[in-house]
């Protein structure tokens, strides 16, 4: 421990009552309703409105974004205790003691998520107009995108876990539909199924956690669960925390449920951007930070969160270093960056704020990087293999500029936004434990390596293009969002620190605690920066000359493992797929032979009895009368046996 | 003063429903004798529906205002069951009044003595002769049934039994189509019915010999006053119960059921299956609860065996039937077994459950036979199961209604049959009759097989080349179908009002 005890400690005021939603905040529900209405219109009108579909999609999300900005300004004008609002739409479930409302909660935490989702979502929508211009199903695509946004907004605006679960499942459904959007490709269909199945594993965790909360607290609203969290036993809280972690691992692609994320690249690139930046993967981080009252009281579960975060951070970075597919390299990077956030969220009050801070900056610069990659692909016949890129900076100067801004942001060069958020997390990690801190610095160095590898292979060096490739810059409808996001990558961090004061803003929800470090902050920053520069240098040194078109086969064990996604598919195959497969085959066999055999045999037996009994029904009245007499004698005998002493 | 005959003080309003129906039946006979032939049917229809509806209205308006006990007991169960009998009678009368489905006229032979296909018959039908005596006969049967549920002494019960049965023997033999089958059925029904009546009256004599009274409460008093056992008690009890079990079609007194159900005109079968069950179970309940309720431990074992045999034999034998009317006959035997489970419970819940079950079963039966009367080939009904293949393609609405009735018989949730089975089994569990419930559930599973087979036949089997035609009925049968479907669904989805009603009316007065 370098930390020498708490200097500043503020815990979240858990019992702060929500203000009644008045004024502009009466329209919290509209934030969700608009994209939902867009989705319903786009998905139900068939070929009608085909030419205007994308406009509806962009407009609904855009208006939600504007509404969100107005709410932010209104919220900033209020005092810190006065910034959380609750709104009940209607009673949803009313069954005895189980009483759940469809009710929304908009506080400082939900607010930043609303802005991230709607603003980045709007930019991705606009970009998609160009990216999907030639797709015959563009309207359906926008319908799914709107559904995605609506579900994610429901997830972050719900005031109870059950409604959150609805949004959670909605996100899972929308991601399934979007990853498999080009379902005529077998790989896309399989990837969608993989994402869905792995997410279901996490969903089981969330549903069990909700049940456990209801059993323990008698309610599933945030306010009453958090208010009573202190009264539950340690083991109950630990179980709730671990189950929520399982849920978060599924949605946020954390170890050991990370396998779906790389395959999810089969979806159209805007979808990858949406999944990786603004929605879906951030849901797990949101869940953990939102449930801070639980994790503050269970050291075991919080430590588990840190461990999961560290493992994912490292293996994501290693996978990102070995992939030749630009989107998969970025996907590994996302795993790694989300790992940072999860790690921070597991640190408790010293980390919650920075988890969200990094989530916001990452949301912007990762959207930027993905959309830039999409722009490169757009100009390269949808190719993704970086070994066939190279020297593209001249051909697509705007894309190159935007990508560079994102690059500098993610590796954390000051004053780009990643510098502020990542350093805060590393700082907090050292406050907790040296090992975690060193892991954070190490991952930062690997980040420097794989990002430099990516930018060098794509934009510098010699052209290794396919013969029919004619690289060109994308149309303005795609480049304008890129420019905006590029500036966002550059300045979001600064803006949030110096203008938005993110720490003070979030403290009422998450609490904040700072500990003094033995080494000065500046030294730590220098150490991190030096590690990053080493990573950058190594990458430049390796890829400075020619890059072979075929991936080299004589590589280290680590590279082989990383190319195989750390053998994740093989592990899943052995641990889950094969056992399930054999169980299913056994059950089919058992059902065919034993169950059906038994049932069919029984049916045949009954039929046989029926056939024999039928013969008594001779049709002769005399037989009937005889059977009656026998019956009379039998009844009288039975009665006599009982009644006579 | 001793030899002055004291006229009994009769509460005429309380028995008014029975009087209305009975007097109208007599008037109906006079109409047959004196009214000209052409308007006769119209007059009879007006009289029948008028009497049944008036009786029902009076019954409802008087319900709860007066109770009498004596030879008759007007109490909760008898009021509910009489009301149910009247409703079933109204719906059955609509089925009997149908004239459009048979090209030759209605379902009844104009003169039952005429040989089928003979010159006499041709002349009769071309000259427009109609069988209109069925209406007063039916009203007499209804009077008997109503009396049966209210009879509080053995002699009234016997008279009611005969008033109910004799018209039914006649109605069973009046089919226009397949006349010989119908007449054979009527004769069998009559002979075996007379046989069982003899058991009943012999048993009544035994019980009188034991207790010196024919009143059911009197017998109960005599039993508690003389706990000593004599053969008179169990022989008398056994024979009376056998007479009643014959009427509900319990095993081993069930063999008339398939023959009679198959031979009778479908409208009459529907009426018998639905209404006779109500009346007979009403009488059985009263006899067991009022007279022998205190001695239940003595008779429950014997009735357990009968209930189990009835459920199993009915369900198992139905599986191998190829004629849909015979299949429904065995199904009605199995259903009688399920109802017996509620009877054996001997608790108020059992009474309520039996009454609910009778309502659920009654209307589903009316609907099922209404559907059967519409599926025809060469003029007559196409009752062989193979004829029903692919009916769902030809006539989806009819096939869907039939499926609903089958699902209700099978006791599938959201139909009336499920609630009926559920309440009956619940009452039995309250009475610690768990083995009976287990057998009941097994029998239900066996029974589900042949009910669902009808649905599979209708919807998932290719129709034959030359299939039956589904005739378009007049408003009468259409109404019957609509009412049956509505009752089956409402009692399945929203049963609470009716459950409340039968729970309020579940105690027998002594």
């Amino acid at each position: 421990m370098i930390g020498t005890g708490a200097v500043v400690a503020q815990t979240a005021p858990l019992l702060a009552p929500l203000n009644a939603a008045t004024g502009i905040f009466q329209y919290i529900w509209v934030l969700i309703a608009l994209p939902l209405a867009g989705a319903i219109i786009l998905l139900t009108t068939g070929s009608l409105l085909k030419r205007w579909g994308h406009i509806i999609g962009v407009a609904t999300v855009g208006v939600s974004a504007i509404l969100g900005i107005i709410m932010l300004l209104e919220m900033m004008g209020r005092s810190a205790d006065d910034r959380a609002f609750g709104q009940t739409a209607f009673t949803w479930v009313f069954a005895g003691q189980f009483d759940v409302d469809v009710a929304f909660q908009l506080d400082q935490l939900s607010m930043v998520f609303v802005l991230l989702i709607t603003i980045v979502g709007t930019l991705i929508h606009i970009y998609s107009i160009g990216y999907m211009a030639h797709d015959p199903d563009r309207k359906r695509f926008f319908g799914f995108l709107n559904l995605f946004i609506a579900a994610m907004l429901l997830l972050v605006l719900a005031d109870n876990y059950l409604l959150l679960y609805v949004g959670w499942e909605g996100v899972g459904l929308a991601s399934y539909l979007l990853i498999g959007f080009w379902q005529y490709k077998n790989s896309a269909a399989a990837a969608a199924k993989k994402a869905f199945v792995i997410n279901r594993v996490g969903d089981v965790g969330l549903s069990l956690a909700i049940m456990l909360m209801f059993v323990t607290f008698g309610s599933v609203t945030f306010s009453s669960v958090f208010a009573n969290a202190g009264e539950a036993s340690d083991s109950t809280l630990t179980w709730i925390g671990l189950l929520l972690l399982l849920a978060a691992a599924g949605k946020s692609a954390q170890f050991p449920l990370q396998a779906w994320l790389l395959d999810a690249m089969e979806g159209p690139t805007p979808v990858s951007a949406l999944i990786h930046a603004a929605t879906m993967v951030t849901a797990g981080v949101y869940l953990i930070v939102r449930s801070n009252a639980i994790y503050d009281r269970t050291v075991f579960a919080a430590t588990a969160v840190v461990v999961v975060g560290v493992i994912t951070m490292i293996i994501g970075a290693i996978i990102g270093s070995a992939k030749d597919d630009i989107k998969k390299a970025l996907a590994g990077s996302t795993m790694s960056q989300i790992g940072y956030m999860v790690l921070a969220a597991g640190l408790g009050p010293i980390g919650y704020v920075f988890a969200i801070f990094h989530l916001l900056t990452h949301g912007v610069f990762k959207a930027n990087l993905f959309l830039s990659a999409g722009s490169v692909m757009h100009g390269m016949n949808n190719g993704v293999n970086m070994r066939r890129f190279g020297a593209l900076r001249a051909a697509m100067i705007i894309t190159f500029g935007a990508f560079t801004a994102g690059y500098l942001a993610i590796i954390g060069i000051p004053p780009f936004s990643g510098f502020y958020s990542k350093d805060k997390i590393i700082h907090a990690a050292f406050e907790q434990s040296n090992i975690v801190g060193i892991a954070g610095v190490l991952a930062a160095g690997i980040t420097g390596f794989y990002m430099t590898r990516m930018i060098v292979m794509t934009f510098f060096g010699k052209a290794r293009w396919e013969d029919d490739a004619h690289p060109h810059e994308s149309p303005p409808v795609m480049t304008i969002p890129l420019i905006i996001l590029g500036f966002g990558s550059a300045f979001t961090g600064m803006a949030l620190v110096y203008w938005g004061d993110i720490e003070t803003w979030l403290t009422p929800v998450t609490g904040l605690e700072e500990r003094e470090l033995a080494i000065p902050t500046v030294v730590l920053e220098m150490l991190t920066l030096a590690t990053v520069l080493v990573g950058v240098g190594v990458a430049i040194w390796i890829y400075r000359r020619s890059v072979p078109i075929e991936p080299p086969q004589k590589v280290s064990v680590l590279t082989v493992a990383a190319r195989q996604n750390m053998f994740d598919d093989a592990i899943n195959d052995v641990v889950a797929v094969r056992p399930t497969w054999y169980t299913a085959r056994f059950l089919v066999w058992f059902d065919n032979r034993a169950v059906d055999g038994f049932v069919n045999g029984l049916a045949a037996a009954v039929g046989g009895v029926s056939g024999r009994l039928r013969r008594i029904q001779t049709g002769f009245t005399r037989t009937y009368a005889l059977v009656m007499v026998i019956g009379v004698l039998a009844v009288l005998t039975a009665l006599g046996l009982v009644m006579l002493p | 003063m001793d030899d002055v005959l004291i006229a009994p003080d009769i509460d005429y309003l309380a028995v008014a429903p029975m009087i209305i129906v009975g007097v109208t039946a007599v008037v109906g006979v006079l109409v047959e004798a004196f009214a000209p032939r052409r308007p006769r049917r119209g007059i009879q229809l007006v009289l029948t529906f008028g009497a049944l509806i008036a009786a029902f209205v009076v019954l409802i308006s008087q319900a709860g205002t007066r109770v009498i006990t004596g030879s008759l007991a007007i109490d909760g169960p008898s009021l509910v069951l009489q009301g149910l009998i009247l409703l079933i009678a109204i719906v059955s009368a609509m089925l009997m009044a149908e004239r459009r489905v048979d090209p030759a006229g209605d379902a009844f032979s104009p003169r039952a003595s005429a040989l089928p296909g003979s010159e006499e018959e041709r002349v009769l039908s071309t000259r427009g002769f109609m069988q209109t005596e069925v209406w007063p006969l039916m009203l007499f049967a209804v009077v008997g049934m109503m009396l049966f549920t209210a009879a509080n002494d053995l002699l009234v019960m016997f008279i009611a039994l005969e008033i109910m049965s004799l018209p039914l023997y006649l109605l069973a033999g009046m089919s226009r189509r397949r006349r010989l089958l119908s007449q054979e059925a009527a004769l069998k029904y009559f002979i075996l019915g007379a046989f069982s009546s003899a058991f009943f009256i012999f048993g009544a004599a035994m019980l009188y010999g034991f207790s010196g009274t024919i009143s059911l409460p009197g017998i109960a008093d005599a039993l508690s006053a003389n706990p000593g056992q004599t053969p008179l008690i169990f022989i008398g009890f056994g024979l009376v119960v056998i007479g009643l079990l014959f009427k509900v079609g319990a095993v081993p007194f069930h063999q008339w059921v398939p023959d009679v159900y198959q031979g009778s005109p479908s409208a009459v079968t529907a009426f018998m299956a639905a209404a006779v069950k109500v009346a007979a179970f009403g009488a059985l309940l009263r006899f067991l609860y009022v007279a022998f309720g205190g001695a239940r431990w003595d008779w429950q074992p014997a009735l357990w065996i009968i209930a189990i045999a009835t459920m199993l034999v009915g369900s198992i034998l139905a599986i191998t039937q190829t004629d849909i009317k015979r299949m429904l006959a065995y199904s009605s035997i199995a259903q009688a077994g399920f109802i017996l489970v509620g009877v054996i419970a001997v608790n108020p819940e059992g009474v309520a459950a039996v009454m609910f079950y009778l309502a659920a079963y009654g209307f589903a039966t009316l609907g099922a036979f209404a559907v059967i009367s519409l599926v025809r080939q060469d003029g007559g009904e196409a009752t062989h199961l193979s004829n029903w293949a692919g009916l769902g393609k030809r006539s989806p609405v009819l096939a869907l209604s039939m499926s609903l009735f089958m699902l209700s018989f099978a006791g599938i949730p959201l139909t009336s049959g499920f609630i009926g089975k559920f309440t009956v089994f619940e009452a039995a569990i309250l009475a610690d009759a768990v083995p009976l419930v287990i057998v009941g559930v097994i029998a239900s599973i066996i029974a589900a097989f042949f009910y669902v087979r009808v649905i599979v036949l209708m919807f998932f089997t290719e129709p034959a080349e030359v299939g039956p035609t589904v005739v378009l009925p007049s408003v009468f049968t259409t109404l019957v179908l609509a009412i049956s479907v509505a009752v089956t669904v409402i009692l399945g989805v929203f049963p609470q009002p009716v459950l409340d009603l039968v729970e309020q009316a579940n105690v027998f007065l002594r």
Side-chain angles (χ1 to χ4, degrees), chain B residues 135-347:
Chain B
W135 303 105
L137 282 173
M138 182 202 181
L139 288 182
F140 278 124
V142 171
V143 174
M145 291 169 184
M146 293 171 74
L147 197 58
F148 209 26
T149 62
N152 205 26
D153 76 35
L154 289 172
L155 219 50
V156 173
M157 201 177 268
F158 180 70
I159 292 167
L161 175 70
E162 293 304 312
I163 298 178
M164 171 181 88
S165 302
L166 289 169
L168 289 177
Y169 302 148
L170 288 172
L171 285 172
M174 288 200 177
S175 181
R176 181 189 290 275
R177 307 273 170 187
R178 294 201 261 186
R179 181 89 43 79
L180 290 178
L181 207 60
S182 170
Q183 291 176 348
E184 182 190 326
L187 202 60
K188 270 181 189 165
Y189 193 15
F190 171 65
I191 293 171
L192 294 170
F195 196 44
S196 78
S197 293
F199 286 125
F200 183 96
I201 197 69
F202 190 43
M206 295 281 192
L207 288 177
Y208 180 74
F210 161 71
S211 61
T213 174
I214 50 167
S215 119
L216 299 182
I219 293 170
D221 292 340
L223 275 172
S224 56
N226 305 300
Q229 306 286 2
T230 81
L232 282 181
I233 302 175
F234 81 82
I235 294 176
F237 169 84
L239 295 178
V240 169
V241 163
I242 284 162
L244 296 172
L245 288 177
F246 175 84
K247 284 293 161 197
V248 304
V251 174
F253 316 106
H254 66 285
Q255 287 188 300
W256 60 275
V257 176
D259 293 8
V260 173
Y261 278 25
Q262 187 188 17
S264 307
S266 289
V268 174
T269 310
F271 177 54
M272 280 196 300
V276 173
K277 274 223 166 46
V278 178
F281 269 110
L284 184 63
L285 277 174
R286 190 177 295 281
F287 178 72
L288 290 177
Y289 281 50
V290 175
F292 284 85
R296 72 184 72 154
W297 312 116
D298 294 330
W299 55 259
Q300 268 170 335
L303 281 192
W304 269 50
I305 297 167
I306 288 180
I308 288 173
T310 308
M311 288 187 285
L312 288 179
V313 168
S315 304
I316 291 173
L317 273 174
I319 286 180
T320 42
Q321 301 307 315
T322 51
D323 183 290
I324 191 150
K325 280 173 86 174
R326 276 186 92 78
M327 193 203 88
L328 284 183
Y330 282 105
S331 133
S332 99
I333 294 170
Q335 302 286 347
F338 295 129
I339 304 175
L340 270 178
V341 171
V343 172
I344 294 171
V346 199
N347 52 20

Side-chain angles (χ1 to χ4, degrees), chain B residues 65-87:
Chain B
T65 60
R66 56 195 69 229
V67 289
I68 57 172
T69 55
S71 295
L72 289 181
I74 302 296
D75 51 14
S78 69
L79 281 172
V80 169
L81 294 176
Q82 286 185 346
L84 183 55
I85 288 168
L86 285 169
L87 285 179

Side-chain angles (χ1 to χ4, degrees), chain A residues 503-523:
Chain A
E503 294 179 25
T504 320
W505 175 262
L506 285 174
T507 301
V509 182
T510 60
L512 181 64
E513 185 183 325
E514 273 181 43
R515 296 190 193 135
E516 189 85 357
L517 285 188
I519 44 173
T521 308
V522 180
V523 175

Side-chain angles (χ1 to χ4, degrees), chain A residues 616-639:
Chain A
I616 308 173
Q617 192 80 13
T618 56
F620 294 120
T621 313
R622 56 177 184 265
T623 318
Y624 298 177
L626 181 66
V627 170
M628 273 178 73
V629 170
I630 296 169
V632 169
L633 292 176
V635 169
L636 290 183
T637 312
L639 284 170

Side-chain angles (χ1 to χ4, degrees), chain A residues 200-211:
Chain A
R200 295 302 307 169
V201 176
D203 296 347
V204 170
L206 184 52
S207 59
L208 287 177
I210 293 173
M211 291 177 213

